[in-house]
Amino acid sequence: MRGERGFTLIELAVALTIAAGVLLLAHRVFGRLLDGAARLTDERERLDHEGNARRLLTMLVGSMDVGAPLAGSFDGEPHRLAFSSWCASPEGWPERRRLTLEVDNGRLVVTGLRSAPLPLADSVVGLHVDYLLSLGAGEHWGRAWVSPVSAPQAIRLRVAHPSFTDTLLLSIGERG
Protein backbone atom coordinates (compact mmCIF):
# COMPACT_ATOMS: atom_id res chain seq x y z
CA MET A 1 0.00 0.00 0.00
CA ARG A 2 1.31 3.29 -1.06
CA GLY A 3 -0.53 5.43 1.53
CA GLU A 4 1.04 3.65 4.50
CA ARG A 5 4.65 4.35 4.24
CA GLY A 6 7.11 4.93 7.11
CA PHE A 7 9.93 7.37 7.53
CA THR A 8 12.75 7.30 5.09
CA LEU A 9 16.31 6.86 6.23
CA ILE A 10 17.11 10.48 5.36
CA GLU A 11 14.17 11.81 7.41
CA LEU A 12 15.26 9.69 10.37
CA ALA A 13 18.87 10.92 10.06
CA VAL A 14 17.73 14.57 9.92
CA ALA A 15 15.53 14.10 13.01
CA LEU A 16 18.38 12.46 14.94
CA THR A 17 20.80 15.23 13.91
CA ILE A 18 18.39 17.92 15.12
CA ALA A 19 17.79 16.05 18.39
CA ALA A 20 21.55 15.67 18.94
CA GLY A 21 22.04 19.41 18.32
CA VAL A 22 19.32 20.26 20.84
CA LEU A 23 20.88 17.89 23.42
CA LEU A 24 24.34 19.35 22.85
CA LEU A 25 23.03 22.90 23.26
CA ALA A 26 21.11 21.93 26.42
CA HIS A 27 24.25 20.28 27.84
CA ARG A 28 26.28 23.46 27.25
CA VAL A 29 23.59 25.68 28.78
CA PHE A 30 23.25 23.52 31.90
CA GLY A 31 27.04 23.16 32.18
CA ARG A 32 27.45 26.95 32.16
CA LEU A 33 24.59 27.26 34.62
CA LEU A 34 26.31 24.85 37.02
CA ASP A 35 29.67 26.63 36.58
CA GLY A 36 27.99 29.96 37.34
CA ALA A 37 26.34 28.51 40.45
CA ALA A 38 29.70 27.14 41.65
CA ARG A 39 31.39 30.52 41.08
CA LEU A 40 28.56 32.26 42.92
CA THR A 41 28.92 29.85 45.87
CA ASP A 42 32.70 30.39 45.97
CA GLU A 43 32.28 34.17 45.90
CA ARG A 44 29.63 34.05 48.64
CA GLU A 45 31.94 31.97 50.83
CA ARG A 46 34.83 34.40 50.18
CA LEU A 47 32.67 37.40 51.13
CA ASP A 48 31.41 35.60 54.26
CA HIS A 49 35.01 34.83 55.27
CA GLU A 50 36.06 38.42 54.63
CA GLY A 51 33.14 39.81 56.65
CA ASN A 52 33.83 37.43 59.53
CA ALA A 53 37.51 38.44 59.52
CA ARG A 54 36.58 42.14 59.69
CA ARG A 55 34.15 41.52 62.56
CA LEU A 56 36.78 39.50 64.43
CA LEU A 57 39.43 42.21 64.00
CA THR A 58 36.99 44.90 65.12
CA MET A 59 36.07 42.86 68.22
CA LEU A 60 39.69 42.04 69.11
CA VAL A 61 40.89 45.63 68.72
CA GLY A 62 37.80 46.97 70.51
CA SER A 63 38.50 44.64 73.46
CA MET A 64 42.18 45.51 73.61
CA ASP A 65 43.72 45.45 77.09
CA VAL A 66 46.78 47.68 77.44
CA GLY A 67 48.23 49.23 80.58
CA ALA A 68 46.52 46.94 83.09
CA PRO A 69 48.60 44.60 85.26
CA LEU A 70 49.52 41.42 83.33
CA ALA A 71 48.14 42.90 80.10
CA GLY A 72 51.43 43.21 78.26
CA SER A 73 52.53 46.00 76.00
CA PHE A 74 51.15 47.24 72.72
CA ASP A 75 53.80 46.48 70.07
CA GLY A 76 52.99 48.12 66.78
CA GLU A 77 55.51 47.69 64.00
CA PRO A 78 55.13 48.77 60.36
CA HIS A 79 54.30 45.20 59.21
CA ARG A 80 53.18 43.45 62.40
CA LEU A 81 50.99 44.14 65.41
CA ALA A 82 50.97 42.48 68.88
CA PHE A 83 48.65 43.27 71.80
CA SER A 84 46.53 41.74 74.54
CA SER A 85 42.79 41.47 74.15
CA TRP A 86 39.85 39.93 75.98
CA CYS A 87 38.51 36.92 74.07
CA ALA A 88 35.84 34.34 74.83
CA SER A 89 37.29 31.07 76.11
CA PRO A 90 35.86 27.71 74.97
CA GLU A 91 33.83 27.73 78.20
CA GLY A 92 32.41 31.15 77.30
CA TRP A 93 34.32 33.17 79.89
CA PRO A 94 36.40 36.16 78.83
CA GLU A 95 40.13 35.59 79.08
CA ARG A 96 43.09 37.76 78.20
CA ARG A 97 45.06 36.55 75.18
CA ARG A 98 48.27 37.85 73.66
CA LEU A 99 47.58 38.22 69.94
CA THR A 100 49.75 38.89 66.91
CA LEU A 101 48.55 40.06 63.49
CA GLU A 102 50.97 39.50 60.61
CA VAL A 103 51.46 38.01 57.16
CA ASP A 104 52.56 34.37 57.16
CA ASN A 105 53.08 32.40 53.92
CA GLY A 106 50.90 34.72 51.83
CA ARG A 107 48.05 34.87 54.35
CA LEU A 108 47.06 37.48 56.90
CA VAL A 109 46.84 35.57 60.18
CA VAL A 110 46.12 36.21 63.84
CA THR A 111 48.00 34.03 66.30
CA GLY A 112 47.14 33.51 69.95
CA LEU A 113 43.44 32.72 69.62
CA ARG A 114 43.94 28.98 69.27
CA SER A 115 46.79 26.53 68.83
CA ALA A 116 47.27 27.25 65.11
CA PRO A 117 47.29 30.66 63.39
CA LEU A 118 43.83 31.72 62.23
CA PRO A 119 43.85 32.87 58.57
CA LEU A 120 41.93 36.08 57.94
CA ALA A 121 42.81 36.70 54.28
CA ASP A 122 44.50 34.75 51.48
CA SER A 123 46.76 35.94 48.65
CA VAL A 124 48.33 38.67 50.77
CA VAL A 125 51.60 40.14 49.54
CA GLY A 126 52.06 42.69 52.33
CA LEU A 127 50.70 44.32 55.45
CA HIS A 128 51.28 47.98 56.27
CA VAL A 129 50.16 49.22 59.70
CA ASP A 130 49.84 52.86 60.78
CA TYR A 131 48.97 54.23 64.23
CA LEU A 132 47.03 57.39 65.18
CA LEU A 133 48.10 59.06 68.43
CA SER A 134 45.10 61.35 68.85
CA LEU A 135 42.06 62.48 66.92
CA GLY A 136 42.09 65.75 65.05
CA ALA A 137 42.42 67.27 61.61
CA GLY A 138 46.14 67.97 61.95
CA GLU A 139 47.14 64.61 63.40
CA HIS A 140 49.48 62.28 61.54
CA TRP A 141 49.70 58.54 61.33
CA GLY A 142 52.85 56.98 62.77
CA ARG A 143 54.63 53.90 61.40
CA ALA A 144 55.37 52.33 64.81
CA TRP A 145 53.97 52.28 68.35
CA VAL A 146 55.57 50.51 71.28
CA SER A 147 54.22 51.25 74.74
CA PRO A 148 53.70 49.15 77.85
CA VAL A 149 50.96 51.49 79.12
CA SER A 150 49.03 52.94 76.17
CA ALA A 151 47.64 52.25 72.74
CA PRO A 152 46.91 54.55 69.79
CA GLN A 153 43.44 55.97 69.07
CA ALA A 154 43.14 53.98 65.85
CA ILE A 155 44.97 51.49 63.67
CA ARG A 156 45.00 51.61 59.88
CA LEU A 157 45.68 48.26 58.21
CA ARG A 158 46.55 48.25 54.53
CA VAL A 159 46.39 44.65 53.33
CA ALA A 160 48.09 44.36 49.93
CA HIS A 161 46.85 41.70 47.51
CA PRO A 162 48.36 41.08 44.06
CA SER A 163 45.83 43.33 42.26
CA PHE A 164 44.42 45.63 44.98
CA THR A 165 44.93 46.95 48.51
CA ASP A 166 42.24 46.65 51.17
CA THR A 167 42.32 49.35 53.86
CA LEU A 168 40.76 48.79 57.28
CA LEU A 169 40.42 51.49 59.90
CA LEU A 170 40.03 50.04 63.40
CA SER A 171 39.14 52.24 66.34
CA ILE A 172 40.65 51.27 69.68
CA GLY A 173 38.28 50.89 72.63
CA GLU A 174 39.19 52.36 76.01
CA ARG A 175 42.90 52.98 76.08
CA GLY A 176 45.15 52.04 78.96
Side-chain angles (χ1 to χ4, degrees):
M1 294 185 158
R2 285 203 126 166
E4 294 184 27
R5 78 174 238 226
F7 294 108
T8 65
L9 188 57
I10 292 178
E11 291 171 332
L12 190 58
V14 168
L16 287 175
T17 303
I18 291 172
V22 169
L23 285 174
L24 182 62
L25 181 62
H27 175 54
R28 286 186 181 173
V29 167
F30 287 121
R32 288 183 183 160
L33 182 66
L34 290 175
D35 288 345
R39 282 194 308 272
L40 184 62
T41 299
D42 291 345
E43 184 64 16
R44 181 184 48 81
E45 287 175 0
R46 186 191 67 76
L47 289 173
D48 285 347
H49 185 267
E50 183 179 295
N52 290 337
R54 289 174 190 255
R55 281 188 290 279
L56 177 65
L57 281 174
T58 301
M59 187 271 307
L60 293 175
V61 170
S63 301
M64 189 179 292
D65 188 21
V66 177
L70 305 174
S73 63
F74 181 94
D75 300 317
E77 301 171 18
H79 305 289
R80 183 179 172 275
L81 176 62
F83 59 93
S84 294
S85 183
W86 288 99
C87 307
S89 69
E91 297 82 25
W93 299 103
E95 65 182 12
R96 183 183 292 127
R97 296 279 183 108
R98 183 74 179 164
L99 307 172
T100 303
L101 183 67
E102 62 190 341
V103 175
D104 182 27
N105 292 324
R107 300 182 313 171
L108 179 64
V109 298
V110 61
T111 56
L113 281 177
R114 55 186 190 179
S115 59
L118 178 65
L120 301 177
D122 294 323
S123 302
V124 176
V125 295
L127 173 66
H128 307 283
V129 188
D130 300 311
Y131 308 93
L132 185 64
L133 171 62
S134 59
L135 300 175
E139 295 300 325
H140 298 284
W141 292 89
R143 296 289 295 147
W145 185 288
V146 178
S147 173
V149 295
S150 68
Q153 287 283 339
I155 300 169
R156 180 174 56 196
L157 301 174
R158 289 174 288 154
V159 182
H161 297 271
S163 60
F164 67 96
T165 298
D166 193 9
T167 302
L168 299 151
L169 181 60
L170 301 170
S171 180
I172 308 287
E174 297 232 1
R175 300 188 316 156

